[in-house]
Structures are given as structure tokens and as C-alpha cells.
Amino acid sequence: MRAVTQGILLALCLMGSAAQAAIVVGQSAPLTGVAGEYGRHLSEGAKAYFQSLNKQSGGINGEQVKHIVYDDGFEAKRTLDNTRKLIDQDKAVALMGYFGADGTYELLRRSWLEQAGIPLVGLTSGASSVRDAASPYIFNTRAGQQDEVIKLVTQMKRLGIDRFGVLYQDDAFGRDGLKVAQAEAKKAGLGIVATGSYKANTLAVESAAKKLAEANPPAILMISITKPTGAFIKAFRGLGGGAILYHTSTVDFDELVREVGAELAHGLAIAQVYPYPWDNQNKLIREYRTAMAEYASAKTPISYASLEGFIMAKLVAEAIGRAGPSPSRSRVFQALSNLGEVNYGGFRIGYGPTDRAGSRFVELTIINQKGELSR
């Protein structure tokens, strides 16, 4: 009987060890607040990929992946608190899918990634303050904000627009975008006739809308996130503003159409840094949509935000797989540093020992009269 009892205890201990062997991937994202919808969709896309991987392939090298997400509410301090917890308590081997530029900048300023030796894969911000940071532990998955602005300014010039206004969020992300817009406008021979800003994590866009409506430029470039964008469009159009509107990829068109309606959203041109999520001829998109249908919340729509999370998770899994069984942070970091180029259905991401750019892919889309997104 004693031998049997010891055998049961040994089995339970082995089971406990197996349960603890899950590979932890950590994420801090805004699940609530003004950026909450984008953050939820981002994390749902990642969750769908990891759950599909665990169920269909048994995880990575026989080990299950545990995806832990904490809500930062788009606040820098909460981003830092979440990161400390993911590193020290949850023992994550990699971080992924961070949203706010200010929170990420503070993380880099304190050298926490270097101290922990942990890679961070994927930022939704293309701001140079974080994208061009000296840290080798940041692995970008999207084109930079400069790439997007160049595309949008080039399109304006092609249409004969010679001047424009800028709406920007007053933080590292928005100020960087304004700086890029000023530089690219000068190169293209276009003038910026007015700028308007709003405080980050608020919808206080009224003064910016008034200023830009009074300037009456033929076009406005918006470097903002979805809810403030919606509030601005309502206020700007209500003041008689008739400018053509251009936006960086940081707006979720689906959420925006719900916020302002198809009529007000119609004509908005948006730069996109990932493949079109409704292209069912694309292998990556078919894989993404299958996983979303099976494992994501029914409330989560097909969107660029969830596709972004899916791609980030796929890339993290690729690196963990190359790192081998029972991966450490250092082995995952080395796997990413030497990844080379991977091709996901024509969407290419690549890294090298000193290359962290990831992707330069940018294409333009437009919201049509039905409130749908067209290429």
C-alpha cells in the first residue's frame, strides 16, 4: 500500500511538473479605455493563434503555450507594472503585442528588457521613439510610422493636393508622426497650413477640430487612435470642414464606422501595414480566419487588429520553436536575432543580428459609401 501511495504521489508530482512546463508568452495591452477595442482585438488574434497551436499541433516541441494578457488601459505606469509582473512573477520567455508608445518608451528607458534578457515582439506603434530605439530586444512586425506617412503624403501629391493640416495625439506617438509629416511634406513640396492636437487617452478634440476647420485645408492627415478620430470627424464635419481625410494604420475602420456612421466615414483613406484580412485567396488569411472562427470570442470581428495579434503570435511561436525544447529567454532572443526572412502568405518579416525593422509593407485602403473597406 505504501508503494502504491508513493507511486501516486510521484505521478502527481510529475503531473504538476508538466503543468508548470508551459511556455509563457506575456502581453500588456489596453483592454479597457479609449483604446480598449483595438487592444482586445489584438489580444484575441494572438489567443486564437496560440490556442490553435496548442490544440492542433500539441504546442511547440510538445510544450503548451500559455498566453498571459494584462490590461494596461493605455497608461504608461500600468504598462510598466504589467511588464514587471510578466518578467518576475510569470516567468515569460517572450513579450509581445505592446500598444502605447509612451509605456514602451519608459520600458526601454529603464533597460528592463536588457536586464531580463527578454525579447519584445511586435509594437502597434511605429513611432521612431520606440521603433528606432537602441535596444536590440525590440523586434518590430509592422512598417514604421515614417513609411506610412510617406505613402499618404505621396498619395496627396499624386492627387494634386499641395497643402494639408495635421491632427495628432499629444504624446510620443503623435509628436513623432507630426515631425515625420513635416519632414515628408517639405521633401514633397507640400505645405502644412495648420496642426491640431488632443491629449492622449482623452476625447478632447474640440479645439483641434475648430482650428483645422478654420484653416480649411484641402486635406488632413490624422495621427490618432480610433475613438478620438471618431470624435474629431464628428466635430470637424459639424463645423463645415470638408477636407479629404487621411489616416495612419492606428485606426480600426470597423469601430470607426460604428462610431460615426458610414456617411461621415466615407472617403477616409487609411494606410495599412498588414495584408487585407478579407483576402481569402491568401494562405495566411485563410489560416487566420480559420483560427478566429474556432478559437476567438464570437464578439471579435475579422480585422487588422486581430490579424496583427495573430501574426505577432505566429512569429513568437516560430522563434520559440527554433529555440528548441524548454526554451530560455536567451535562446528565444538568439532565434529571433538569426531568424532571417520568413514568408507568411506573401507577407515577409525578417531579422538579422543588427536588423530589427521586421517589415516595410504599406498599402492604402479607403472606406466606401457602404462603410466597407476597399483596396
Side-chain angles (χ1 to χ4, degrees), residues 83-125:
T83 303
R84 197 76 267 165
K85 190 175 179 182
L86 288 164
I87 290 172
D88 296 339
Q89 178 178 306
D90 300 313
K91 308 299 182 185
V93 299
L95 304 173
M96 64 156 286
Y98 275 42
F99 186 86
D102 283 357
T104 307
Y105 175 78
E106 283 301 315
L107 182 66
L108 294 173
R109 191 177 67 82
R110 297 166 193 233
S111 301
W112 284 3
L113 301 180
E114 286 82 357
Q115 291 166 16
I118 189 169
L120 170 52
V121 179
L123 306 174
T124 64
S125 174

Side-chain angles (χ1 to χ4, degrees), residues 162-166 191-195 211-212 215-219:
D162 61 357
R163 64 194 189 284
F164 62 96
V166 179
I192 295 179
V193 297
T195 64
K211 186 177 179 182
L212 287 164
N216 194 31

